[in-house]
Amino acid sequence: RSALILGWFFAKDRELEYVRRMYAKNGFDEVVIRPSKVGLISKPRGWYRTLRRQLQPGRRRAEPRSQSVDSQSLDSLDRHFDVVHCMSGGFLALYVLLRSKVGLRFSTLLCDSTPILPKPAAFTRFARAYLASIGLRLPLKLLPERLHQWLVEGRWWLSIFYIKMKHRLLTLLGRLQGVELNRWMSGPVDWGLSGDYDRVATHALGTIYEGAAQCAGSEIIFLYNKADPFIDPADVANAAELARE
């Protein structure tokens, strides 16, 4: 049996190795670990860079080998896994993989302490829980949650605006961007720019569920603690309801 583990944000190598050993102990003879890089997976510009590298016509062929290492590792995921185990930020990593048109297929999707959805409210909640978990409570007292979320929204808006302008400039210069990348820009990017993050989140969930539906008889399992401060129980409930549909 095979499993793909999409790790949580800030996971250490030894922690992910422990997860690998637990799978091996339970009869999985092939376990692939893919860390969730915070700089790529937690920011709109990171999503754009990953998608553009994969979807822009001729981009990967034109890149030097040193710049295309991650693309090569993505190619190794163009296959079927019995289980894809998303931990925390790994849910967003899976979204980016599937939007990048990596041919990843799986029979079981295990959502472990996730989804952390692509919207400022979810990231603000996660960031505050993380700061509290490492003992940095003073910044949380000085920065009210509503103000914190407003700052995240502002940073995301600037990032998305930059993405939009860069894409438009490259298109005007005659650089082909590809149908799939253009579709993503005119969908989730435009929705984020207008502040409609609920629509962006629904799109992310739909992308992942469509990926799950590629295999007949596939199942989606949610594993979480209602007291988990890192995720909103309402997000989990809405994601589970959408999965049932």
Side-chain angles (χ1 to χ4, degrees):
R1 292 189 295 170
S2 59
L4 170 64
I5 312 301
L6 299 174
W8 61 96
F9 290 145
F10 306 111
K12 296 181 174 60
D13 289 343
R14 59 179 177 79
E15 294 170 329
L16 293 174
E17 174 59 21
Y18 174 79
V19 176
R20 188 197 66 77
R21 291 201 306 270
M22 290 300 100
Y23 266 89
K25 187 176 180 180
N26 284 278
F28 285 80
D29 51 12
E30 188 176 7
V31 182
V32 177
I33 302 288
R34 186 172 177 86
S36 296
K37 299 178 181 178
V38 177
L40 285 177
I41 303 303
S42 67
K43 302 174 182 178
R45 286 179 66 176
W47 308 334
Y48 173 69
R49 284 198 299 271
T50 303
L51 267 64
R52 185 165 173 258
R53 184 178 296 120
Q54 290 295 114
L55 300 176
Q56 188 182 32
R59 173 66 179 269
R60 292 168 59 190
R61 291 192 299 272
E63 284 185 338
R65 181 178 178 84
S66 61
Q67 295 181 20
S68 60
V69 171
D70 193 58
S71 292
Q72 294 166 3
S73 67
L74 292 184
D75 289 341
S76 68
L77 302 180
D78 188 358
R79 49 162 295 187
H80 172 268
F81 287 91
D82 292 302
V83 176
V84 169
H85 188 164
C86 295
M87 297 179 166
S88 185
F91 189 86
L92 279 173
L94 179 58
Y95 167 64
V96 173
L97 284 172
L98 294 176
R99 289 314 306 175
S100 298
K101 295 303 175 182
V102 174
L104 175 61
R105 303 170 302 282
F106 44 90
S107 299
T108 299
L109 173 62
L110 177 57
C111 298
D112 186 349
S113 303
T114 200
I116 295 177
L117 296 172
K119 58 182 185 178
F123 272 76
T124 302
R125 183 186 182 101
F126 181 92
R128 295 180 73 84
Y130 178 75
L131 289 173
S133 72
I134 60 175
L136 295 179
R137 297 185 178 276
L138 181 58
L140 300 179
K141 294 179 180 179
L142 298 176
L143 185 64
E145 184 172 358
R146 182 172 297 181
L147 177 58
H148 189 172
Q149 182 172 325
W150 181 81
L151 292 173
V152 173
E153 289 173 352
R155 187 169 68 248
W156 278 35
W157 188 90
L158 290 173
S159 180
I160 293 171
F161 181 77
Y162 168 83
I163 290 170
K164 191 71 177 177
M165 292 302 101
K166 181 175 181 177
H167 187 80
R168 183 175 298 173
L169 177 61
L170 291 173
T171 301
L172 289 174
L173 292 174
R175 298 277 295 275
L176 293 177
Q177 302 301 300
V179 174
E180 289 296 334
L181 186 58
N182 287 334
R183 183 177 293 127
W184 188 73
M185 294 297 299
S186 62
V189 172
D190 278 353
W191 304 333
L193 198 61
S194 66
D196 192 356
Y197 286 107
D198 286 337
R199 191 174 182 184
V200 176
T202 300
H203 174 268
L205 289 167
T207 296
I208 289 174
Y209 295 162
E210 286 175 10
Q214 296 301 311
C215 290
S218 61
E219 60 178 349
I220 302 173
I221 301 171
F222 290 89
L223 177 64
Y224 80 108
N225 182 345
K226 291 183 178 180
D228 186 345
F230 289 87
I231 56 175
D232 186 346
D235 285 344
V236 179
N238 291 336
E241 184 62 30
L242 185 60
R244 293 189 188 98
E245 296 175 1

